[in-house]
């Protein structure tokens, strides 16, 4: 279910040319209360016209405009639909096609660079920099524009005297990345493009999102239809359940919370209690034996994810027999789930499959209801606040649908799940005791298939290694590892190794996303 159907209306289409930052562009625009949708760079001109966007953005990308495999398309028709912003590769492609010149340079620019704005820089843009003529920006490119198209104006150069920004009749081009947090005033540059250059008014608030979802659901769901809502205990599914119950009523929305055996310690009982306090029509189902049986001796992470997804469906099929006639299955799929499962640029690279993405089996005979499918995590939390949901429920750290199965590297056993539950419980409680839990986007433990020698109780031990993970993020699309005080990490490590038999070594993961993902599998 798409909130905006086939029309972006007053929003922005972001054409993805393969940049690792494409999702951030859409996220930053939504922070400006402007709707943005990501589409493959090859989206037909007919579809783009049907979308009726108020602006179009060409993302960056890793290729050169001269490479045979580089993503390319005719840009002139696009500039006739709406104002266009070309970022990095997007600017280079425009210049290459419109009579400018792009070359490969030995003097490449990566990382922070000073940007010097010229006298031709639009005054409304300079005002957003507090009238400063110099800003810092994040560069990531090997090709350079050495000649801009006839009629275009050069508005900025880098400290290396390379062309950094230009403006044409209906085109704004910038060589750097305003979407990354390292770029000084990057948000202001995007704000200039949408509000001044493209004349777009704010149209994307929690209230607006709710109204659009409510309207769409009432058009899609009959008053007599019954919905099975798949609850995981996390933020996304909880918001879906409250949202649908508010719109359709208590009797129409039947929530099922499945105990897979792969939840956090005591989570099954706690979630049931919390969800009932939200006045939801909820039932708990213990299917842990079935999940463990099907996961026995399975170590490949993709196989684990798919087995868990199929098992969820089988459990729901059994529950439908008990619940009576059901017409829809509702779940908390988010925009990042969709992006990571299906490459937005149309190529066959998938980061990881998500168990709740890709539709339902035909034999389930249910329609799929995914009201959050176009939202990022913080937008979901904002919607939850609009629905007056309690803050502790909304601020829980994300938890993956496959649960602890993808936090145990290798095959999954009940003994390892219990060990990981205990370790993770110590870790999360310590974060709360230390007062840092709310500073972290997501924190969890990973049990590694590695044994190490240790000394415990004056004796030799040979036990497993536990990895701790903690990241900061806005939406999970990119993330930085959390910079703990060393004394805090020391206390957490000591608690785990002192209290748990089976773990004698604790390590901390200092990998950002990219290059890594947040979860290990």
């Amino acid at each position: 279910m798409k909130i905006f159907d086939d029309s972006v209306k007053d929003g922005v289409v972001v054409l993805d040319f393969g940049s690792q930052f494409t999702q951030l562009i859409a996220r930053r625009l939504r922070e400006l209360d402007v709707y943005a949708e990501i589409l493959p760079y090859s989206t037909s001109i007919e579809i783009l016209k049907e979308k009726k966007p108020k602006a179009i953005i060409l993302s960056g990308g890793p290729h050169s405009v001269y490479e045979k495999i580089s993503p390319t398309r005719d840009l002139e028709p696009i500039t006739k639909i709406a104002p266009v912003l070309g970022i990095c590769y997007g600017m280079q492609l425009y210049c290459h096609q419109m009579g400018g010149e792009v070359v490969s340079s030995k003097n490449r620019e990566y990382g922070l660079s000073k940007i010097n704005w010229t006298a031709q820089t639009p005054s409304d843009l300079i005002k957003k920099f507090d009238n400063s003529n110099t800003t810092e920006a994040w560069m990531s490119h090997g090709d350079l524009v050495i000649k801009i198209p006839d009629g275009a104006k050069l508005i900025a150069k880098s400290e290396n005297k390379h062309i950094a920004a230009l403006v044409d009749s209906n085109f704004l081009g910038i060589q750097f990345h305003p979407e990354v947090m390292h770029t000084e005033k990057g948000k202001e540059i995007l704000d200039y493009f949408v509000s001044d250059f493209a004349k777009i008014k704010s149209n994307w608030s929690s209230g607006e999102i709710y109204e659009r979802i409510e309207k769409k659901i009432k058009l899609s769901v009959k008053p007599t239809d019954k919905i099975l809502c798949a609850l995981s205990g996390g933020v996304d599914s909880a918001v879906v359940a409250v949202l649908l119950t508010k719109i359709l009523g208590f009797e129409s929305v039947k929530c099922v919370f499945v105990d897979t055996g792969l939840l956090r310690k005591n989570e099954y009982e706690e979630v049931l209690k919390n969800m009932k306090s939200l006045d939801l029509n909820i039932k708990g189902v213990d299917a842990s034996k079935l999940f463990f049986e099907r996961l026995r001796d399975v170590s490949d992470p993709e196989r684990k994810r798919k087995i868990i997804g199929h098992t969820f469906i089988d459990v729901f099929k059994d529950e439908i027999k008990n619940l009576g006639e059901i017409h829809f299955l509702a779940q908390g799929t988010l925009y990042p789930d969709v992006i990571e499962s299906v490459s937005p640029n149309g190529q066959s690279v998938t980061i990881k499959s998500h168990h709740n993405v890709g539709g339902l089996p035909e034999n389930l005979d249910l329609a799929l209801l995914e009201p959050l499918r176009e939202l990022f995590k913080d937008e979901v939390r904002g919607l939850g606040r609009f629905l007056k949901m309690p803050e502790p429920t909304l601020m829980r750290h994300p938890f993956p649908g496959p649960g602890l199965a993808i936090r145990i590297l290798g095959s999954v056993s009940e003994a390892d799940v219990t060990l990981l539950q205990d370790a993770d419980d110590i870790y999360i409680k310590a974060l709360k005791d230390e007062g840092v839990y709310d500073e972290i986007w997501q924190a969890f433990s990973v049990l590694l298939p590695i044994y190490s020698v240790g000394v415990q109780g004056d004796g030799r031990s040979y036990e497993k290694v536990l990895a701790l993970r903690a990241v900061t993020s806005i939406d999970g699309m990119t993330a930085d590892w959390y910079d703990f005080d060393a004394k805090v990490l020391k206390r957490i490590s000591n608690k785990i190794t002192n209290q748990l038999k089976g773990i004698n070594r604790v390590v901390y993961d200092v990998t950002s996303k990219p290059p890594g993902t947040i979860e290990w599998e």
Side-chain angles (χ1 to χ4, degrees), residues 306-456:
K306 288 175 180 176
I307 287 170
I308 290 167
H310 292 316
T311 306
F312 266 118
I313 294 297
D314 289 343
V315 172
F316 290 140
K317 284 167 68 175
D318 288 339
E319 282 308 305
I320 289 170
K321 297 174 186 176
N322 301 324
L323 293 172
E325 191 173 12
I326 297 291
H327 305 90
F328 289 88
L329 175 67
Q331 57 186 23
T333 307
L334 299 192
Y335 203 27
D337 299 337
V338 177
I339 291 168
E340 289 191 335
S341 292
V342 181
S343 176
N345 63 10
Q347 299 178 15
S348 59
V349 177
T350 298
I351 298 173
K352 59 187 177 185
S353 64
H354 288 261
H355 77 285
N356 57 345
V357 176
L360 296 174
E362 290 183 8
N363 61 5
L364 193 57
D365 196 27
L366 292 179
L368 191 57
L369 204 56
E370 298 174 307
L372 310 181
R373 188 180 175 91
E374 295 166 87
L375 303 183
F376 289 94
K377 177 73 75 173
D378 57 319
E379 292 173 315
V380 173
R381 287 187 169 125
L383 184 59
R385 293 186 183 101
F386 180 83
L387 294 168
K388 296 181 169 48
M389 292 175 63
E391 201 66 15
T393 298
L394 296 175
M395 293 311 295
R396 292 189 72 191
H397 286 186
F399 188 67
L404 299 182
I406 59 169
R407 293 178 180 174
I408 296 173
L409 304 197
S411 58
V412 179
S413 69
E414 292 184 57
D416 279 347
V417 169
T418 299
L419 181 60
L420 182 56
Q421 285 175 332
D422 290 340
D424 199 62
D425 186 58
I426 293 170
Y427 180 34
I428 298 303
K429 284 180 178 176
L431 296 181
K432 293 177 179 179
D433 291 342
E434 297 285 351
V436 298
Y437 180 85
D438 290 336
E439 296 176 11
I440 296 168
W441 160 268
Q442 189 173 6
F444 56 90
S445 308
V446 181
L447 193 61
L448 306 183
I450 300 170
Y451 286 81
S452 72
V453 174
V455 179
Q456 292 175 301

Side-chain angles (χ1 to χ4, degrees), residues 15-29:
L15 292 180
D16 181 13
F17 285 86
S19 171
Q20 63 178 318
F21 302 132
T22 299
Q23 295 83 9
L24 275 180
I25 301 171
R27 187 65 212 95
R28 297 294 178 256
L29 293 176

